[in-house]
Amino acid sequence: MDKDGSFVIMDYKQLVADALAPTMADTLSADDIYKKIERPKDSSMGDYAFPTFTLAKTFRKAPQQIATDLVEQLDQSKFEKVQVAGPYINFFLDKAAFSADILAQVSAQGADFGQNENGKGGNVPIDMSSPNIAKPISMGHLRSTVIGNSIAEILKKNGYNPIKDNHLGDWGTQFGKLIVAYLKWGNEDDVKKDPITNLVKYYVKFHQEDKEHPELDDEAREWFKKLEDGDAEAHRLWSWFRDESLKAFNQIYDKLGVTFDTYNGEAFYNDKMQAVIDELKEKGLLKESQGAQVVDLSKYDLNPALILKSDGASLYITRDIATAVYRDKTYHPAMNLYVVGSEQMYYFQQLKAVLTEMGLASAKDLHHIPFGLITVDGKKLSTRSGRIILLDEVLDDSIAMAKKQIAEKNPDLPNKDEVAKQVGVGAIIFGDLKNERMNSIDFNLADQLKFEGETGPYVQYARARAESILRKAADVTPAGENATINDPEAWETVKTLADFPAIVEEALADFEPSDIAKYSIRLAKAFNKYYAHSKILADDAEKPARLALVKSVSTILKESLRLLGVQAPDEM
Ligand code: ARG
């Protein structure tokens, strides 16, 4: 039974622990027993195993003898079989009872299976994607988008309320330079046509020219000052650059199917900065260092955090402090998540330390969720003359390749274009998320689109196959309650289904969408094997139960993909 009893999920490991506990009442606590229980890789060694070799000292007996003695004493009635195998006791679950239990639950709960309320509705702001205005979106921003989006879904599944915030880099002295460059060399139509490419071009030109014409820097400083002071023209240009850039970013977000709850970029915190600086001062945390204001972090073994430059200008971290304070006040967060590349690891240690010094309530639950680099066919994604188009191209290529495959495999499929999109985009998202996030990956599009192997399309295809069986069996009502399956070929699939709720919790504990992706591959594999070995549609007594199993697999595969931000076509 679940801790708070809200979901009736049998904990089978607990069943094993309960059987063992009375036999060792004087030596091991129920908790210790529970922790020692293992899941053998191979089902022939049982569904659960209890190792006895660590108990030799306590019992002053050989492990094998301990195992033999314990088995003699324990109540075996709830299991199909309990066996001694060397220094292990192997427990075989009652397949009929277990399958009936799991299938009844998944049938009744549908996609809610695995939902828990651990988060008690707590707010969790997720800082994710967060590209910089007038600059190309980098691969890091994209990974952040995809990983953050999945973590948001996993949070919901664990009973939290995620708030996806795109912390746009939309403030800083570079906007003074950009305004000067635009006014001198820019052109409205060009910006509208291809905002990022052209804005980058102006910015680059500024840096070429200001070597010979240092007065440009003074102009840029003036424009940024105007912007800060709310000058109408400066604000109009800035806000236009921001809109045009966002339009370009949104094309990619749309294709990926990712949305945000807020777009509170750095500029949003301008009017919230002074209060934070005052607070730092009041708390005696600001120290002068060579004219600048810093927070000393030596007790954290970190370099001091530079909060205000000698000219009084704020920095990236100043805005991040204001952001954290704002989120703290607005959301009273249960956790504060930042999905940002691993190159900012040190920076987030500093940020957390400053917030801790300030006594911010949510500082202790601030988690930087870093990730490694990704390249596509050995190429970095963002390098091509500053264009963000490359990712767009990769997505389009992927969709086109998926379309070709579908045309070959299933030429009569009605909604080919829609499915090609789901498969092409899904392949990319899945190809990213199946890797532990800290790993650096090189991404080969053709590999990720294969219908075999550990790919998104493989999982999508397994699910479409399940749907196709259900369509063929449309005349049968799948059994819900009391659906028992004794077929040993089905056992791995049944057990894998039962693992889902634990995986949902694990994925959140590690902030690892890859836990879900790997699980979905495992379930798809088990199901494909079952499908190859069993006549699911044969007319016999177990048919309704088999159909309940197929339906459950389809539901959980779709739900796993949904948690990753990948769609599941019914046919492909
Ligand atoms: N705009 C930043 C960059 O591109 C990422 C922002 C991450 N979020 C934050 N709160 N610092 O590097």
Side-chain angles (χ1 to χ4, degrees):
M1 193 85 48
D2 202 36
K3 277 145 250 153
D4 57 6
S6 56
F7 286 89
V8 202
I9 290 161
M10 254 300 229
D11 183 349
Y12 288 90
K13 198 167 158 181
Q14 193 61 54
L15 204 68
V16 174
D18 288 348
L20 283 164
T23 66
M24 288 176 279
D26 312 327
T27 25
L28 272 189
S29 75
D31 219 34
D32 286 336
I33 294 174
Y34 186 89
K35 280 189 201 133
K36 278 186 192 293
I37 297 167
E38 298 172 5
R39 290 274 309 262
K41 277 234 149 59
D42 181 351
S43 281
S44 69
M45 311 296 285
D47 301 308
Y48 291 98
F50 183 77
T52 51
F53 43 79
T54 56
L55 301 174
K57 261 213 184 109
T58 326
F59 282 90
R60 299 168 178 279
K61 270 192 266 187
Q64 168 129 20
Q65 191 57 47
I66 300 172
T68 312
D69 294 349
L70 291 178
V71 166
E72 260 167 36
Q73 297 165 47
L74 63 80
D75 174 9
Q76 302 187 12
S77 62
K78 296 220 168 66
F79 302 96
E80 191 172 279
K81 189 163 71 173
V82 180
Q83 228 173 35
V84 175
Y88 282 97
I89 305 174
N90 294 340
F91 292 82
F92 295 78
L93 297 174
D94 178 341
K95 292 189 178 57
F98 184 91
S99 59
D101 183 20
I102 294 303
L103 293 180
Q105 286 178 49
V106 184
S107 303
Q109 296 174 23
D112 280 341
F113 182 66
Q115 172 77 38
N116 68 63
E117 299 309 322
N118 297 347
K120 302 191 174 71
N123 287 332
V124 182
I126 312 182
D127 192 304
M128 53 181 269
S129 197
S130 310
N132 302 317
I133 295 303
K135 282 200 195 147
I137 200 164
S138 75
M139 198 55 223
H141 300 125
L142 285 156
R143 287 209 79 189
S144 165
T145 309
V146 167
I147 295 170
N149 186 56
S150 175
I151 289 177
E153 294 304 332
I154 294 168
L155 278 162
K156 272 190 239 165
K157 192 89 184 166
N158 282 281
Y160 288 92
N161 176 39
I163 297 139
K164 297 190 273 184
D165 187 24
N166 197 336
H167 187 80
L168 296 168
D170 58 2
W171 204 252
T173 49
Q174 71 272 25
F175 287 95
K177 298 178 188 171
L178 193 59
I179 291 175
V180 170
Y182 171 75
L183 291 174
K184 287 205 188 315
W185 311 295
N187 164 308
E188 187 171 339
D189 288 340
D190 287 348
V191 174
K192 282 191 176 148
K193 228 181 289 149
D194 193 349
I196 309 285
T197 310
N198 287 301
L199 293 173
V200 168
K201 211 164 73 190
Y202 307 151
Y203 191 72
V204 169
K205 187 162 168 79
F206 182 96
H207 279 287
Q208 289 161 353
E209 298 283 324
D210 79 341
K211 289 190 192 89
E212 310 239 320
H213 306 281
E215 68 277 9
L216 283 173
D217 284 317
D218 298 328
E219 268 184 68
R221 247 191 305 278
E222 269 164 44
W223 271 105
F224 184 60
K225 179 91 178 61
K226 279 195 204 173
L227 183 60
E228 281 192 304
D229 295 344
D231 172 87
E233 180 62 1
H235 191 269
R236 186 187 69 80
L237 287 169
W238 168 81
S239 147
W240 178 53
F241 296 153
R242 188 180 187 274
D243 288 349
E244 292 295 338
S245 300
L246 259 183
K247 265 190 226 161
F249 298 154
N250 276 329
Q251 281 176 15
I252 290 184
Y253 297 146
D254 283 350
K255 254 181 213 158
L256 291 171
V258 174
T259 57
F260 298 89
D261 297 301
T262 47
Y263 286 84
N264 293 340
E266 294 182 42
F268 178 78
Y269 300 97
N270 277 338
D271 61 355
K272 300 166 183 67
M273 217 98 82
Q274 192 53 50
V276 165
I277 290 160
D278 292 346
E279 187 181 336
L280 284 167
K281 264 188 206 141
E282 267 162 38
K283 293 189 167 153
L285 293 169
L286 277 190
K287 289 207 169 74
E288 202 189 301
S289 166
Q290 299 164 350
Q293 298 290 324
V294 304
V295 174
D296 180 77
L297 298 175
S298 48
K299 88 175 195 223
Y300 299 86
D301 247 335
L302 294 168
N303 293 330
L306 178 56
I307 307 290
L308 290 175
K309 288 194 209 162
S310 50
D311 63 2
S314 63
L315 291 105
Y316 181 51
I317 196 165
T318 327
R319 295 188 278 275
D320 253 327
I321 297 168
T323 305
V325 169
Y326 173 84
R327 287 178 183 155
D328 193 85
K329 277 205 190 103
T330 314
Y331 304 118
H332 307 292
M335 286 188 267
N336 252 321
L337 307 184
Y338 294 81
V339 186
V340 184
S342 52
E343 69 284 353
Q344 293 190 34
M345 203 113 82
Y346 190 84
Y347 170 77
F348 278 102
Q349 286 175 18
Q350 289 181 307
L351 177 63
K352 184 169 176 153
V354 173
L355 298 171
T356 306
E357 285 297 281
M358 289 174 76
L360 196 78
S362 57
K364 71 173 184 340
D365 294 306
L366 184 158
H367 299 278
H368 174 215
I369 302 176
F371 49 81
L373 279 177
I374 190 172
T375 47
V376 173
D377 297 328
K379 285 184 299 234
K380 275 199 188 170
L381 267 183
S382 60
T383 46
R384 193 190 287 177
S385 63
R387 279 156 62 93
I388 57 164
I389 301 305
L390 198 48
L391 181 91
D392 231 16
E393 279 172 13
V394 174
L395 284 168
D396 290 342
D397 286 354
S398 186
I399 294 168
M401 280 162 85
K403 205 164 159 183
K404 235 177 97 194
Q405 282 186 10
I406 291 164
E408 282 163 20
K409 278 195 176 236
N410 196 352
D412 300 327
L413 189 70
N415 52 341
K416 276 199 208 79
D417 285 341
E418 181 58 24
V419 174
K421 238 198 210 149
Q422 297 179 338
V423 172
V425 175
I428 289 187
I429 298 177
F430 195 95
D432 181 333
L433 293 183
K434 75 172 181 188
N435 303 286
E436 277 169 41
R437 62 182 155 70
M438 278 308 281
N439 290 351
S440 288
I441 31 184
D442 185 44
F443 201 90
N444 178 281
L445 208 49
D447 284 349
Q448 295 314 317
L449 274 161
K450 288 199 178 115
F451 280 35
E452 303 97 43
E454 311 201 324
T455 66
Y458 173 77
V459 178
Q460 287 172 321
Y461 194 59
R463 191 222 161 231
R465 177 177 275 164
E467 283 296 301
S468 131
I469 298 171
L470 293 168
R471 274 194 301 275
K472 281 187 200 138
D475 53 324
V476 186
T477 337
E481 300 282 322
N482 305 322
T484 65
I485 299 188
N486 286 294
D487 179 3
E489 296 291 351
W491 189 227
E492 204 51 48
T493 307
V494 171
K495 274 207 304 181
T496 308
L497 271 179
D499 284 340
F500 185 59
I503 299 287
V504 166
E505 290 190 30
E506 210 177 290
L508 182 62
D510 312 336
F511 300 122
E512 270 295 353
S514 67
D515 289 348
I516 304 281
K518 286 185 180 132
Y519 168 82
S520 72
I521 293 169
R522 195 149 65 79
L523 181 58
K525 265 191 193 154
F527 174 68
N528 280 339
K529 213 164 144 201
Y530 170 55
Y531 172 86
H533 284 94
S534 295
K535 293 207 166 51
I536 294 173
L537 290 169
D539 278 310
D540 58 30
E542 268 187 23
K543 181 177 177 187
R546 284 196 300 269
L547 289 176
L549 177 59
V550 174
K551 177 109 183 82
S552 299
V553 168
S554 170
T555 303
I556 300 307
L557 284 179
K558 183 174 184 178
E559 179 62 1
S560 302
L561 291 173
R562 191 190 65 78
L563 291 175
L564 299 171
V566 174
Q567 306 207 43
D570 291 341
E571 262 184 280
M572 61 189 269

